[in-house]
Amino acid sequence: MGMLTTIIRVLMFLTLVAAGIWGLFLLIQDPGGITIRFAGREYFFAPLHFAALLTLGVVGLWLVIRIAGLLIAVLRFLDGDETAISRFFNRSRERRGLEAMARGMAALASGDAKAARSSAEKAELLLQRPELTRLLNAQAAELSGDDLRAETYYRALAEDPATAFIGVRGLLNRALEKGQTDRALKLADAAARLHPKDATVLDTLYTLQTRTFDWDGARKTLAGQRRHGYLPKPEANRRDAMLALAQAEDAEGDGEAEQARKLALEAARLDPENDEAVTTAVRHLVGAGSKRAAARLVSDAWRRKPSPALAAAFASIEPGETPEERRKRFQKLLSVYPTHAESRLLAAELALMTKDWEGARKAIAELEEEEPSARSCLVRAAIARGEGASEVEVRAWLARALEAQDDGRGGDIRHHALLPLLIGAGDEEPAPTGAAASDDGEAGTDSAETAGAASPDSGETPEAAETETRERPSSAA
């Protein structure tokens, strides 16, 4: 692009020179002349003489205008305007400097690095206004790949109070491009202090703070984004809840149990539909002995959206209850949305824990699914095993569960409550741990508790052992 522009300029110059020579030749060869009548007298000029006279007239008129301007500037200076004369002499230079700036900006827009840098340097020389030309020079240097020159100009901009924000933001972008996270974080913080309402800077600062695990700083930045309306309130609350959860985890790791509990409760209040926030808050409440508050928190979240995680948290409130007691306590939760798919599945699993095969079959029969999910297939397999169905039928349901899991339907098939029923873990009676969750808050019950539901002749086969290895139990609710 630069080479083509140079060629065009050279061709235009040669064309003008040729046109001038040709015109001069015509004037010399013309035998006629020009007669001018003025005040009753005639004046005759040869063509060449007339052209020269006309040129002198134009130059003379320009000189008169310039001299008149100078006289006016002198009179203004004598009248007390100390900069009048300097402005007169600098006006032309400023005009040429502004023209150079315009060319430089156009070159930047077109990606012509060489022309942009040349115009930027010319503008800097003519204007003597660094606050105007530094940014152009910095961007031209970036375009040409001169990192050191770009950094120099951005630092100069940052040191000038009038252009400090522009300079800091330029340095910030350079640090981000180079992957200098720590430096970028300091620059983003400085830019946010200079211009606390800039949406791009606030978003960059928030991203960097979360990347460096500065949860407290990220929450303050998020508050600024929320205050200026850059984020919808639900999204701001969702992010704030996750940051509060991260703070709670750090506080718990530092042994600050009370602070961790407050932060977990705050997270659950900010985003009550966040299962992780609710279950974490429930765990802290149970640990502090506030079981009633924990149950109320789960119930409120369940009314918004039932989920296995909430069922597991509800079960963890009373880890020592018997399966019958647990099933009875869960009736209040199940009555909120009795026809919801999660309620149906949970009711079936609770029935399995009490060996109520008929109740489990009824609950799962009322479940409306276009295609059985992995979890419902496991429930049906457990019912078949408990009712003494053939091993072929049990394994058919297991195969469908694995197929649904591979297709991504129905979530995770690992359940504390069901797998012991399916693999035939034995008939020994355990200490009861409940129907929908283990002591650590996961849904399900101790594997030995459910083993009593297996058929006496259902010994563990190599295939079943392999199934147990692949499907490590995690949650039943």
Side-chain angles (χ1 to χ4, degrees):
M1 185 67 181
M3 178 68 72
L4 182 60
T5 304
T6 303
I7 292 174
I8 292 173
R9 289 177 178 176
V10 170
L11 290 175
M12 290 177 63
F13 174 75
L14 293 176
T15 302
L16 290 174
V17 170
I21 294 174
W22 182 65
L24 183 62
F25 176 77
L26 290 179
L27 289 174
I28 294 174
Q29 296 296 321
D30 192 347
I34 298 174
T35 301
I36 298 177
R37 291 184 178 90
F38 180 74
R41 300 183 64 179
E42 291 186 356
Y43 301 91
F44 177 80
F45 299 95
L48 183 60
H49 294 163
F50 180 77
L53 184 62
L54 185 61
T55 302
L56 289 174
V58 173
V59 173
L61 180 62
W62 179 80
L63 286 174
V64 169
I65 294 173
R66 295 291 294 175
I67 292 172
L70 178 60
L71 289 175
I72 294 173
V74 170
L75 290 176
R76 288 178 177 175
F77 176 77
L78 294 176
D79 193 42
D81 189 349
E82 297 180 356
T83 62
I85 296 177
S86 62
R87 286 203 313 273
F88 172 79
F89 287 106
N90 291 337
R91 192 170 299 141
S92 175
R93 187 171 63 185
E94 288 182 356
R95 177 180 57 79
R96 288 183 286 126
L98 291 174
E99 290 175 354
M101 275 200 68
R103 289 194 300 271
M105 293 173 66
L108 280 176
S110 63
D112 189 345
K114 185 176 180 181
R117 183 164 180 171
S118 175
S119 298
E121 291 174 350
K122 187 175 182 181
E124 183 178 21
L125 181 64
L126 291 171
L127 287 177
Q128 300 295 316
R129 296 281 300 276
E131 69 277 10
L132 295 178
T133 58
R134 280 172 180 162
L135 179 59
L136 179 61
N137 274 280
Q139 292 179 337
E142 278 187 308
L143 188 60
S144 62
D146 191 344
D147 293 342
L148 181 60
R149 182 180 176 87
E151 290 269 351
T152 302
Y153 276 108
Y154 279 129
R155 285 198 188 96
L157 285 166
E159 291 170 0
D160 186 346
T163 58
F165 177 72
I166 297 174
V168 172
R169 190 170 62 178
L171 292 171
L172 169 60
N173 292 334
R174 300 295 300 164
L176 290 173
E177 289 177 3
K178 295 179 180 179
Q180 299 171 343
T181 304
D182 292 338
R183 183 181 179 223
L185 179 60
K186 294 178 182 178
L187 289 167
D189 186 57
R193 287 198 300 269
L194 289 168
H195 203 324
K197 294 184 179 181
D198 189 277
T200 303
V201 169
L202 288 176
D203 188 59
T204 302
L205 178 59
Y206 173 82
T207 301
L208 291 170
Q209 286 171 330
T210 54
R211 190 180 300 172
T212 55
F213 312 112
D214 181 8
W215 312 127
D216 187 58
R219 294 193 73 182
K220 291 178 181 177
T221 303
L222 185 63
Q225 291 178 305
R226 182 194 292 112
R227 184 168 56 253
H228 299 306
Y230 297 146
L231 283 175
K233 186 176 180 180
E235 175 63 16
N237 287 343
R238 185 189 68 80
R239 294 187 183 187
D240 204 11
M242 294 306 296
L243 293 172
L245 272 180
Q247 285 184 309
E249 183 180 350
D250 288 349
E252 187 175 10
D254 294 337
E256 300 175 1
E258 181 63 21
Q259 180 66 10
R261 183 176 66 84
K262 289 180 179 178
L263 289 167
L265 288 172
E266 183 180 4
R269 177 183 58 80
L270 287 168
D271 189 6
E273 294 187 2
N274 186 330
D275 288 349
E276 184 181 359
V278 173
T279 55
T280 302
V282 167
R283 178 168 58 83
H284 283 283
L285 286 172
V286 171
S290 303
K291 293 184 177 181
R292 184 173 296 178
R296 186 166 54 249
L297 185 61
V298 174
S299 298
D300 292 341
W302 185 272
R303 288 187 180 91
R304 290 183 174 87
K305 184 180 179 182
S307 74
L310 294 177
F314 194 69
S316 69
I317 296 174
E318 296 292 346
E321 62 190 349
T322 64
E324 290 289 352
E325 291 171 340
R326 176 157 297 180
R327 188 179 181 185
K328 182 178 180 180
R329 185 168 64 88
F330 263 81
Q331 292 307 311
K332 183 178 180 181
L333 200 66
L334 295 176
S335 65
V336 177
Y337 295 114
T339 60
H340 193 280
E342 180 58 37
S343 298
R344 297 293 192 199
L345 284 168
L346 183 58
E349 290 174 346
L350 289 166
L352 287 175
M353 297 307 98
T354 58
K355 305 178 185 179
D356 181 5
W357 317 119
E358 182 179 354
R361 182 174 292 280
K362 180 180 178 182
I364 203 67
E366 294 173 346
L367 180 64
E368 296 181 359
E369 291 181 309
E370 292 184 4
E371 289 288 338
S373 65
R375 186 176 170 195
S376 64
C377 287
L378 280 179
V379 170
R380 289 178 170 90
I383 294 171
R385 172 61 59 81
E387 291 180 336
S390 67
E391 193 70 16
V392 173
E393 181 180 349
V394 173
R395 293 192 177 278
W397 281 116
L398 281 176
R400 293 189 67 177
L402 290 174
E403 181 181 353
Q405 177 76 1
D406 292 339
D407 291 343
R409 294 184 287 110
D412 197 342
I413 67 172
R414 300 172 300 171
H415 296 285
H416 277 299
L418 302 181
L419 282 182
L421 288 169
L422 306 178
I423 63 176
D427 293 329
E428 61 273 23
E429 287 294 326
T433 57
S438 57
D439 290 351
D440 60 359
E442 292 183 301
T445 186
D446 190 270
S447 58
E449 173 66 31
T450 61
S455 303
D457 59 343
S458 58
E460 183 172 353
T461 64
E463 292 83 3
E466 183 180 355
T467 302
E468 182 180 21
T469 303
R470 287 199 314 266
E471 312 303 334
R472 188 177 177 185
S474 64
S475 173

